Amino acid sequence: MADRYLRLTGTAPGRLLTRGLGLPQPVPLRRWSPQTPGLDGPLLHLTAGESVVTAGLAKALAATGLPVERRAARPAGIVLDATGVTSVTGLAEVHAALHPVVRSLAPGGRIVVIGRRPSSEDHHQAAAQQALEGFVRSLGKETGRGTTVHLVRLPATGTPDAAGSTLRFLLSPRSAYVSGQVIELTDAAPDAEHDPAAPLTGRTALVTGAARGIGASVASVLARDGAHVIVLDVPQAREDLARTADRLGATALALDITAPDAAARMAAAAPDGIDVLVHNAGVTRDRRLVNMPADRWAQVLDVNLDSVLRTTDELLASGALGRGGRVVATASIAGIAGNKGQTNYAASKAGIIGLVRSLGPRAAAEHGVTVNAVAPGFIETSMTAAVPLLIREAGRRMNSLAQGGLPVDVAEAVAWFAQPGSAAVNGQVLRVCGQSLLGA
Ligand SMILES: NC(=O)c1ccc[n+]([C@@H]2O[C@H](COP(=O)([O-])OP(=O)(O)OC[C@H]3O[C@@H](n4cnc5c(N)ncnc54)[C@H](O)[C@@H]3O)[C@@H](O)[C@H]2O)c1
């Protein structure tokens, strides 16, 4: 669905007019393509407070392939090491480091603050580190021009060694529609050596709901990253599914995920095991609770949540999802903010968040598998094209980037979770919503 307003603000007269009226100023986002694989400029590496991870962070930043500098006239990214900030005085150093340079950041730039998990034993450290969350969320709302801002938290005493894949993702065009996020890392070392250009080579990924929309885009990005993909959708979508499979050289599996034997049939389609399981299939059956019959409630909960719980449990128990495996589920900002007419949908998506947070640490300890979720905001799909015009326009503009996301934005986030290098990313829910004001 074309965003005509975004096109208008892309012209000089359109910009003049909309600025004069005080309207939002979206800019076209620079997304990944073979021609634009990285940010266009150097990374500025700054430090606030006494850091003990300077050398490790410099190494992790060098692995992004971008030139890293301590001074840069026009940086494409700014990384502020705030791991040593443990007091209000330390927070003043955050201001001192960023205040003079934020304005010099190139359009579409990235700001990543590196912090530590707030301590349960030192409330001064906890206050200072939690303060960084409010700081990045506010800065993300101020910077404009397609800039994104994040906080990456290292464990209490961890090094940035496990942060490589996360920094590569955040400091690249792949994260164009992700902003204002807090990502908590563990110490887990990458699962295997891999080629950053094709990190999923030799891996099998199964994507549910992949005949169209976001799922088809996820399948396409995972195939781009080297995976053999199994695309799954309901038998009624067989034709679209076959087309997606042909385009990607993927295997098609026509299956309703609510079927009692769904997990067994998923495992049978991947005799060598499933390395990446993407629960993307989802349905809406909107009605206000007072008008909602039990069958509409049950259908949404069954597809969006219960089948995710059942198939994940069975595939973990049978070993079809084994060491180094990745589960990526799909929540929604409706599951965080709630939405009128969507008590069933929002309950199912909030349930996904509960599942991820609880199962993540246990699945890693018992099976060597990570469990994460994406929470899309307003994504330009046939689902959102059907939304009435005024509500659609509000959905598009009510975020820091003042535009809707594309299916590929969700797909890039899934691909980051899926990488062998992302073992330290576990139990996380990443909003892909341009820093939507809803549920912020
Ligand atoms: N589009 C958005 O803005 C948005 C926002 C937040 C969350 N999401 C979530 O992202 C996911 C994909 O959304 P989309 O917009 O691409 O939706 P979509 O309706 O275009 O695609 C969903 C796919 O899931 C399949 N599916 C439904 N029930 C199934 C079942 N029982 N078994 C197997 N496949 C089944 C459908 O046939 C369809 O191909 C969903 O989980 C949705 O809730 C979307």
Side-chain angles (χ1 to χ4, degrees):
M1 170 110 249
D3 183 346
R4 294 203 180 89
Y5 183 79
L6 177 59
R7 265 194 232 143
L8 177 71
T9 55
T11 65
R15 239 188 334 270
L16 196 68
L17 174 72
T18 52
R19 220 177 251 151
L21 292 170
L23 294 172
Q25 297 296 305
V27 298
L29 302 180
R30 182 187 161 99
R31 295 184 165 86
W32 183 93
S33 77
Q35 292 72 41
T36 54
L39 297 182
D40 197 12
L43 277 183
L44 182 58
H45 176 179
L46 304 173
T47 308
E50 291 282 312
S51 172
V52 294
V53 299
T54 305
L57 183 57
K59 199 168 137 213
L61 294 179
T64 62
L66 295 167
V68 183
E69 298 171 5
R70 283 292 186 167
R71 277 167 195 273
R74 192 90 173 133
I78 301 173
V79 177
L80 175 69
D81 176 358
T83 52
V85 171
T86 54
S87 66
V88 176
T89 318
L91 287 170
E93 292 192 42
V94 172
H95 171 269
L98 287 177
H99 169 72
V101 295
V102 163
R103 210 181 295 237
S104 66
L105 188 66
R110 303 282 187 270
I111 299 176
V112 177
V113 176
I114 312 286
R116 290 260 188 224
R117 279 196 190 206
S119 163
S120 52
E121 278 140 34
D122 176 352
H123 57 285
H124 289 257
Q125 186 271 6
Q129 287 295 323
Q130 189 67 34
L132 295 174
E133 185 168 331
F135 173 77
V136 299
R137 292 219 159 113
S138 299
L139 190 57
K141 292 180 178 179
E142 290 179 5
T143 46
R145 299 180 309 151
T147 299
T148 67
V149 187
H150 299 285
L151 174 62
V152 175
R153 283 191 181 133
L154 306 182
T157 55
T159 67
D161 293 358
S165 80
T166 300
L167 292 172
R168 272 199 301 280
F169 171 64
L170 295 178
L171 295 166
S172 84
R174 294 171 200 249
S175 57
Y177 195 63
V178 184
S179 191
Q181 298 303 289
V182 179
I183 297 163
E184 297 212 342
L185 299 179
T186 71
D187 269 334
D191 278 314
E193 287 292 320
H194 60 280
D195 169 7
L200 299 177
T201 303
R203 305 205 140 209
T204 297
L206 190 151
V207 184
T208 71
R212 65 176 198 202
I214 294 172
S217 189
V218 169
S220 164
V221 169
L222 297 182
R224 175 202 70 188
D225 283 358
H228 169 66
V229 182
I230 301 168
V231 287
L232 177 158
D233 213 298
V234 286
Q236 301 90 295
R238 208 181 282 273
E239 281 180 20
D240 282 346
L241 189 65
R243 262 194 296 276
T244 306
D246 284 350
R247 189 164 49 81
L248 303 177
T251 305
L253 177 60
L255 171 67
D256 186 325
I257 50 167
T258 63
D261 62 346
R265 291 184 54 196
M266 288 157 101
D272 295 331
I274 299 170
D275 300 297
V276 179
L277 172 61
V278 184
H279 293 291
N280 162 81
V283 292
T284 50
R285 297 284 182 272
D286 296 356
R287 262 205 209 154
R288 292 174 58 192
L289 184 66
V290 287
N291 300 323
M292 188 177 302
D295 62 329
R296 282 175 94 90
W297 174 274
Q299 226 176 347
V300 169
L301 269 292
D302 197 16
V303 175
N304 295 5
L305 183 59
D306 210 12
S307 71
V308 175
L309 287 159
R310 275 197 310 266
T311 52
T312 305
D313 286 352
E314 284 185 42
L315 292 168
L316 281 173
S318 71
L321 251 173
R323 196 143 287 282
R326 304 277 182 265
V327 177
V328 186
T330 308
S332 164
I333 57 166
I336 296 167
N339 214 4
K340 194 159 88 180
Q342 292 201 313
T343 52
N344 52 356
Y345 182 76
S348 72
K349 295 302 187 179
I352 290 291
I353 296 172
L355 150 71
V356 159
R357 291 194 179 141
S358 169
L359 181 61
R362 267 180 297 115
E366 291 167 21
H367 304 277
V369 171
T370 66
V371 186
N372 293 288
V374 283
F378 184 99
I379 304 296
E380 305 279 359
T381 60
S382 45
M383 188 173 109
T384 47
V387 172
L389 178 70
L390 281 181
I391 300 176
R392 187 166 72 228
E393 264 310 292
R396 274 183 177 142
R397 305 302 156 215
M398 280 172 56
N399 60 74
S400 297
L401 299 171
Q403 58 195 287
L406 300 180
V408 71
D409 297 322
V410 182
E412 294 285 11
V414 171
W416 159 61
F417 283 135
Q419 287 186 17
S422 294
V425 188
N426 191 22
Q428 303 297 296
V429 177
L430 188 83
R431 293 172 57 144
V432 183
C433 64
Q435 199 183 17
S436 171
L437 302 183
L438 300 180

